[in-house]
Amino acid sequence: MKDGMRLVVISNRLPVSLFKEEEEEEWKTRQSSGGLVTALSPVIKDRGGFWIGWTGTAREDLDLKVLKTILGPSSKEIGYRLIPVLLNQDEVDNYYHGFSNEIIWPLFHDLQNNCYFYPRYWNAYNYVNNIFADVVIGHSNQNDFLWVNDYHLIPLARSLKEKKVERNCFFFLHITFPSRDIFLKLPWRQELVKDLMEYRLVCFQTWRDRRNFIDCLRIFDPHMKVQGRGPVVTVEALGRSTRVASLPISIDFRTFADIASSNAVEAKMNELKTSMLGSKLLLGVDRLDYTKGIPQKLQAYRTALETYPHLREKLTLFQLLVPSREDVPAYRDLKRDIEQIISQINGEFSTSGWVPIRHAYKSVPREELITMYRTADIAMVTSLKDGMNLVSKEYCACRINNDGVLILSEFAGSASQLKKNALLVNPYDRETTAEAIDRAFSMSEKEQYNRMSSMRRSIRRRDVFWWVNNFLRVSMNRELHDFPEREMAPLLPQSRVRV
Ligand code: ADQ
């Protein structure tokens, strides 16, 4: 390990969540789903390192001795250490449900009507970032590479600085950065851009996000300077200088493709195909979130069934929904709306032998998900806005025969990479989205092959390891091989669980 540098990932949540079975006392852990975990886990696992994050449960509900005994074996099982941050119920309500999920998440996805700009949320956001800073200080040293992830932790570098602690902090924003007209609605807008400038690198998913950030900075510092060209530039603004980059996240392409070609998946795929009784499969896989455009997808499918009657009984929509943020009212409302639309469409179009929409509301094991990707003739992503969207890339990775069609929202970050070969749609435009469904349904094998093989090449070349390598390179001129392989990162002597 060069210079004793360790890879430390910091994010709101640890990559495992704690849960209890109904009527059972014993805590268990489950690996979390979600883009960030999917993307980073293979990397830390293979290269050593540790992960700092909140346990996902309020500390009032946790027995701390038990917590240590759960996280120890979990760390061993997943191959890297998990360092918990403990938050009480009030902090969870105001920092997580409040500032993160009711301000930044909707605002950055252009849905300002879903925002509640309560000052107590802002105070809790800063307070909790201070708690994270204390845990970081207790477990890391000056040599470590601190990779801070996402919008929950924007003030972390500033918190460390205020505590007069020097750390190498680099930031990646997984969600989009909004245009200035939207961003300016935030009461704490200047504070947030200043906080981002405290990192040595601020990295976005796409050029568009980076351009939006630089546009916002310009409002607060008209004399700002941008030096350089290409994916990484140096920005001098607000009395600080930092590098600002865009680097699209990706997936572990090879693992997805390998599992997709396994005998087990092949067998399950055949079973699933038989159960489709000759109908083609149109697949949706989304976290149940109002940014994913799920009602829009269902309505476009309804329009397709109305406008193109030959699709009836010949194209079935399977919508997989992973439960998410169930404590937030907007998410509960969305679930209800989706169920209503599904039952209306099924009521309207079902025949004695066919139900147009099947759906499942659960997180499914990876092999099952990959079986769905392999079986689906068409995958459809209709995000109203999305930082990247890993589902679109996972679907392509699993199409090992270079067939299948991807219908992709032009508002997903992955559209900038896949726009030539996916069928791009504006999910607000129901008629043209329905037309894309019909076009995908009738696309020739040759066209499918040409489009899919090209998308797969691009995703294979720029997989998650490419993403991590480039992030390390632009951050500190490091490569993945500068970090140890397959070895648990040693903890510092002063390390302890902060209780
Ligand atoms: P997310 O909003 O969570 O991520 P996305 O990129 O689509 O969105 O990732 C979702 C992940 O969950 C995928 O890896 C998918 O396989 C998995 N998943 C979805 N439904 C599932 C189910 N029912 N069962 C099991 N797994 C399921 C955020 C940003 C995105 C960005 C990622 C990564 O909002 O824009 O792409 O981070 O940076």
Side-chain angles (χ1 to χ4, degrees):
M1 186 176 10
K2 284 184 190 166
D3 317 331
M5 178 184 266
R6 300 173 304 173
L7 180 60
V8 182
V9 173
I10 307 160
S11 67
N12 171 53
R13 292 286 285 268
L14 282 174
V16 296
S17 49
L18 303 177
F19 70 101
K20 275 186 191 174
E21 301 285 3
E22 235 172 88
E23 294 182 18
E24 273 189 26
E25 277 307 296
E26 197 194 342
W27 283 99
K28 294 184 177 159
T29 55
R30 164 192 311 130
Q31 253 200 280
S32 312
S33 65
L36 177 60
V37 178
T38 314
L40 277 176
S41 281
V43 176
I44 313 180
K45 196 168 174 172
D46 287 353
R47 306 288 161 171
F50 58 96
W51 194 311
I52 296 177
W54 171 46
T55 56
T57 307
R59 66 190 290 169
E60 291 91 327
D61 298 332
L62 281 174
D63 180 331
L64 299 176
K65 278 195 208 129
V66 175
L67 178 67
K68 282 192 198 176
T69 59
I70 307 171
L71 288 186
S74 287
S75 294
K76 276 220 173 83
E77 201 181 302
I78 64 175
Y80 50 89
R81 283 182 204 280
L82 305 172
I83 313 289
V85 174
L86 302 173
L87 303 177
N88 67 32
Q89 191 60 56
D90 187 56
E91 289 155 0
V92 173
D93 287 343
N94 290 293
Y95 143 83
Y96 178 62
H97 298 309
F99 200 82
S100 303
N101 288 346
E102 291 188 353
I103 296 184
I104 303 197
W105 178 266
L107 187 75
F108 280 34
H109 288 91
D110 298 354
L111 297 164
Q112 67 266 31
N113 290 345
N114 290 25
C115 294
Y116 296 90
F117 295 115
Y118 299 136
R120 68 171 192 279
Y121 287 176
W122 169 246
N123 294 336
Y125 184 59
N126 285 292
Y127 186 79
V128 168
N129 269 271
N130 264 311
I131 297 179
F132 267 84
D134 288 337
V135 177
V136 168
I137 294 166
H139 288 83
S140 62
N141 65 35
Q142 274 182 328
N143 292 327
D144 290 337
F145 182 101
L146 266 51
W147 185 337
V148 181
N149 284 276
D150 233 356
Y151 58 101
H152 317 82
L153 299 174
I154 292 173
L156 184 60
R158 192 232 319 147
S159 291
L160 288 165
K161 190 174 168 190
E162 283 171 358
K163 289 172 190 287
K164 310 223 175 317
V165 170
E166 269 207 33
R167 290 289 184 271
N168 301 305
C169 290
F170 306 89
F171 185 83
F172 188 85
L173 186 71
H174 289 259
I175 63 172
T176 55
F177 196 90
S179 67
R180 55 198 265 172
D181 288 350
I182 302 271
F183 186 73
L184 285 178
K185 308 243 166 24
L186 181 71
W188 306 278
R189 55 208 188 175
Q190 187 160 359
E191 287 87 337
L192 227 56
V193 288
K194 262 191 180 165
D195 283 353
L196 281 167
M197 289 296 290
E198 292 294 351
Y199 286 90
R200 291 181 61 178
L201 173 84
V202 183
C203 193
F204 299 93
Q205 298 268 26
T206 64
W207 287 71
R208 177 196 59 188
D209 300 313
R210 189 180 75 171
R211 191 191 53 225
N212 285 345
F213 173 64
I214 291 176
D215 277 356
C216 289
L217 265 177
R218 197 165 279 122
I219 299 169
F220 303 112
D221 184 352
H223 305 295
M224 70 173 286
K225 284 196 193 123
V226 180
Q227 282 164 355
R229 282 165 148 252
V232 193
V233 294
T234 301
V235 173
E236 282 172 33
L238 302 165
R240 297 160 178 81
S241 171
T242 194
R243 288 196 300 154
V244 181
S246 68
L247 196 58
I249 197 171
S250 194
I251 56 162
D252 184 356
F253 181 94
R254 191 142 30 117
T255 299
F256 273 95
D258 284 351
I259 300 175
S261 25
S262 68
N263 292 339
V265 166
E266 187 96 18
K268 283 188 188 154
M269 176 181 80
N270 291 335
E271 250 173 60
L272 187 59
K273 275 204 168 142
T274 312
S275 79
M276 300 291 301
L277 301 172
S279 167
K280 284 192 179 179
L281 178 63
L282 168 64
L283 178 67
V285 176
D286 301 276
R287 224 164 23 77
L288 194 133
D289 192 288
Y290 52 73
T291 62
K292 301 290 181 186
I294 303 159
Q296 284 79 358
K297 176 171 8 188
L298 299 171
Q299 298 293 12
Y301 175 63
R302 178 212 288 260
T303 304
L305 294 178
E306 278 163 3
T307 320
Y308 310 99
H310 60 269
L311 297 179
R312 297 181 197 170
E313 300 193 328
K314 293 282 173 271
L315 184 67
T316 305
L317 170 59
F318 196 107
Q319 178 62 53
L320 206 49
L321 296 163
V322 74
S324 182
R325 303 176 195 170
E326 291 162 283
D327 302 332
V328 180
Y331 287 73
R332 287 199 297 268
D333 296 348
L334 176 68
K335 182 167 182 265
R336 196 200 48 222
D337 293 348
I338 289 172
E339 279 164 358
Q340 247 172 28
I341 302 173
I342 291 178
S343 71
Q344 278 165 6
I345 297 175
N346 283 345
E348 205 174 321
F349 294 97
S350 286
T351 58
S352 54
W354 179 67
V355 179
I357 305 179
R358 298 193 209 169
H359 77 294
Y361 180 62
K362 60 178 182 184
S363 180
V364 298
R366 186 137 78 155
E367 203 177 89
E368 206 175 307
L369 183 66
I370 291 176
T371 304
M372 299 295 302
Y373 286 143
R374 260 216 75 183
T375 315
D377 303 278
I378 308 164
M380 188 165 175
V381 171
T382 47
S383 311
L384 306 180
K385 209 160 183 208
D386 217 333
M388 180 52 50
N389 191 278
L390 297 179
V391 169
S392 50
K393 296 188 173 184
E394 290 166 2
Y395 174 67
C396 296
C398 294
R399 305 306 302 175
I400 51 173
N401 297 326
N402 293 301
D403 56 1
V405 186
L406 175 66
I407 299 177
L408 179 60
S409 163
E410 59 189 83
F411 308 123
S414 56
S416 59
Q417 188 179 349
L418 305 175
K419 62 180 169 228
K420 277 201 195 134
N421 292 296
L423 298 186
L424 282 200
V425 294
N426 168 2
Y428 293 102
D429 181 345
R430 209 183 276 184
E431 271 73 29
T432 44
T433 308
E435 202 180 305
I437 294 176
D438 184 48
R439 185 164 167 218
F441 177 83
S442 346
M443 190 179 283
S444 70
E445 280 178 17
K446 185 164 183 286
E447 186 176 354
Q448 287 184 36
Y449 181 90
N450 289 341
R451 288 173 179 270
M452 188 52 77
S453 52
S454 171
M455 288 193 283
R456 294 186 83 239
R457 249 195 321 276
S458 160
I459 301 166
R460 190 188 307 122
R461 211 175 40 234
R462 295 173 162 210
D463 67 0
V464 73
F465 300 100
W466 171 90
W467 174 71
V468 175
N469 238 336
N470 277 288
F471 188 85
L472 298 175
R473 195 177 295 145
V474 293
S475 302
M476 290 196 72
N477 220 5
R478 297 278 164 168
E479 301 265 344
L480 259 178
H481 59 67
D482 290 328
F483 295 89
E485 255 188 78
R486 296 206 175 278
E487 169 188 316
M488 285 265 228
L491 289 180
L492 294 177
Q494 77 269 27
S495 294
R496 65 197 149 79
V497 176
R498 181 189 170 278
V499 291

